[in-house]
Amino acid sequence: MNTTPVTVSPEASAAGTPADTLGTSAAQARSAALEELILKDPGQFRVLTGDRPTGRLHLGHYFGTLHNRVRLQNLGVEMFVIIADYQVLTDRDVADNLTEHVEELVLDYLAIGVDPARTTIFTHSAIPALNQLMLPFLSLVSVAELNRNPTVKDEITHSRQSAVSGLMFTYPVHQAADILFCKGNLVPVGQDQLPHLELTRTIARRFNDRYGNGTAVFPQPDALLSSAPLLLGTDGTKMSKSRGNAVSLSADADETARLLKGAKTDAERHITYDPATRPEVSSLLLLAALCQNRTPQQVADDIGSAGAAALKKTVTEAVNEYLAPIRARRAEYAQDRAFLRQTLREGNERARAVADATLAEVRSAMNSHY
């Protein structure tokens, strides 16, 4: 694995934008250039991505991030997928049903095609060396930098805790440790996560400047922005585990039909794709289109003036047909819980070896390797 920074051509950065600044326009241009590099030489990339085990993964997760992980894996990119169980505590007082949620995540990963022989699936809590990186990393950022992180502000606003914990405050540094312990140099993110990744790049750069003695201990990871459009939940708001408005990957055909039957639409009978003025109808059209590998306009033209009932029937059939093989694989894996635990044990072992090596390198760079 080549952990040196990936070189992106100058035209891939926005004019006048410093190389270490991940503004949205610059990140979009860099993402396009990185996609070309991935196709040419996937082996030079190491990706860190993952999920918090707080509930069942749903269609928004699948079309937003999950299928892209499988794509990158199949292209030959080295993949690390973290189940961030410690991070569950950032916005809630207790991590409920943690074991169940972790196993459900592994089931979803395997069902969609994540291959544990090619992708390292591991839990945060099982990698002690990863968490030890938090202390030196925290010394490299100021309280003011943590305080003004917009993603943290938003998480605090929506926090379930009676009071904000110190773990929530250090959330961006926690994520930096997740990415840098394996020297990840590519992180698939949405635009709302760019501030987190910018802080990770800052930490990597400051560590290299302070302790690297002329060498780069850590790469400055690039953002791979997702082009996936936003799918709304059945109530017309953002699809979310906590809002009860999502169709989960583990839902059966009947539950899927029930949920989509109750999806919000509008009073206009003729079905058209117009995200600006008809967001709920357009989101359903988009979902059907994604499942059928068509455009939303084509789906809308087929339905025409048949109305919302026909739209929901089309979407339900498309989703159930698309998810049928995923559900079949999921049911098969669910019969072998020992294999799920074995997948995690082996992934944890691989991740621990990587983290231990990185921590030893950090201690040596800091002259604290006694």
Side-chain angles (χ1 to χ4, degrees):
M1 163 66 194
N2 176 15
T3 57
T4 57
V6 177
T7 301
V8 180
S9 59
E11 60 269 20
S13 296
T17 303
D20 60 353
T21 299
L22 282 177
T24 300
S25 60
Q28 288 172 337
R30 288 163 67 138
S31 289
L34 286 163
E35 284 286 359
E36 294 182 8
L37 290 175
I38 290 169
L39 293 175
K40 292 178 182 177
D41 185 10
Q44 69 176 305
F45 294 99
R46 177 178 278 181
V47 165
L48 186 286
T49 185
D51 304 280
R52 295 195 304 162
T54 55
R56 300 192 296 178
L57 296 180
H58 51 65
L59 287 171
H61 293 124
Y62 179 79
F63 287 112
T65 61
L66 297 177
H67 82 296
N68 191 43
R69 297 178 192 175
V70 178
R71 178 184 73 93
L72 292 170
Q73 167 196 273
N74 292 343
L75 285 173
V77 174
E78 186 175 10
M79 302 289 295
F80 280 73
V81 176
I82 184 171
I83 297 176
D85 49 349
Y86 272 173
Q87 290 182 14
V88 172
L89 298 173
T90 55
D91 64 347
R92 56 200 70 202
D93 296 316
V94 178
D96 294 322
N97 304 316
L98 198 53
T99 300
E100 175 188 346
H101 288 330
V102 168
E103 289 193 356
E104 290 297 306
L105 278 184
V106 177
L107 269 176
D108 284 336
Y109 295 157
L110 297 176
I112 66 169
V114 173
D115 180 359
R118 293 182 289 170
T119 293
T120 300
I121 304 171
F122 66 100
T123 52
H124 194 144
S125 60
I127 319 299
L130 186 165
N131 296 300
Q132 285 185 265
L133 293 173
M134 278 276 289
L135 289 177
F137 286 177
L138 278 169
S139 74
L140 297 170
V141 295
S142 68
V143 172
E145 285 173 314
L146 293 175
N147 202 34
R148 64 173 175 257
N149 185 288
T151 313
V152 171
K153 289 180 180 180
D154 183 66
E155 292 282 354
I156 288 174
T157 300
H158 295 92
S159 174
R160 297 182 181 184
Q161 291 179 306
S162 55
V164 175
S165 70
L167 186 61
M168 171 70 83
F169 197 63
T170 62
Y171 190 33
V173 183
H174 218 159
Q175 287 198 325
D178 295 342
I179 296 165
L180 296 177
F181 96 91
C182 65
K183 299 194 177 182
N185 58 8
L186 192 63
V187 185
V189 293
Q191 292 187 9
D192 60 333
Q193 289 291 309
L194 286 176
H196 275 330
L197 190 56
E198 181 59 35
L199 189 64
T200 299
R201 290 164 59 84
T202 297
I203 289 171
R205 186 175 64 255
R206 289 177 181 172
F207 188 94
N208 293 339
D209 290 346
R210 185 173 299 182
Y211 301 112
N213 194 27
T215 63
V217 178
F218 293 108
Q220 293 184 48
D222 272 300
L224 188 67
L225 283 181
S226 170
S227 59
L230 176 67
L231 285 173
L232 299 179
T234 54
D235 60 355
T237 66
K238 180 180 177 181
M239 193 176 291
S240 169
K241 299 175 188 175
S242 60
R243 295 179 183 180
N245 64 357
V247 177
S248 71
L249 299 180
S250 58
D252 62 25
D254 290 340
E255 182 183 358
T256 298
R258 178 182 61 78
L259 290 168
L260 291 174
K261 184 177 181 179
K264 184 178 179 181
T265 54
D266 58 34
E268 188 175 341
R269 184 167 182 80
H270 189 77
I271 300 302
T272 58
Y273 182 67
D274 188 352
T277 61
R278 306 185 72 184
E280 298 91 357
V281 167
S282 296
S283 182
L284 288 171
L285 287 168
L286 175 60
L287 177 55
L290 289 168
C291 291
Q292 296 176 338
N293 195 26
R294 304 170 72 200
T295 68
Q297 291 86 350
Q298 289 173 327
V299 179
D301 289 344
D302 284 352
I303 298 170
S305 297
L311 169 62
K312 293 177 182 180
K313 182 175 184 292
T314 297
V315 177
T316 298
E317 290 175 351
V319 169
N320 279 333
E321 182 177 356
Y322 188 91
L323 289 183
I326 294 175
R327 288 167 173 161
R329 288 193 296 270
R330 198 180 194 283
E332 184 178 352
Y333 282 119
Q335 299 302 312
D336 190 356
R337 295 281 166 169
F339 180 72
L340 301 183
R341 291 187 286 273
Q342 177 186 339
T343 295
L344 275 179
R345 280 197 305 272
E346 293 176 353
N348 287 340
E349 287 174 5
R350 291 201 298 269
R352 271 195 295 270
V354 171
D356 288 346
T358 299
L359 184 60
E361 190 176 356
V362 165
R363 286 173 170 168
S364 179
M366 297 177 67
N367 292 316
S368 60
H369 204 198
Y370 313 120

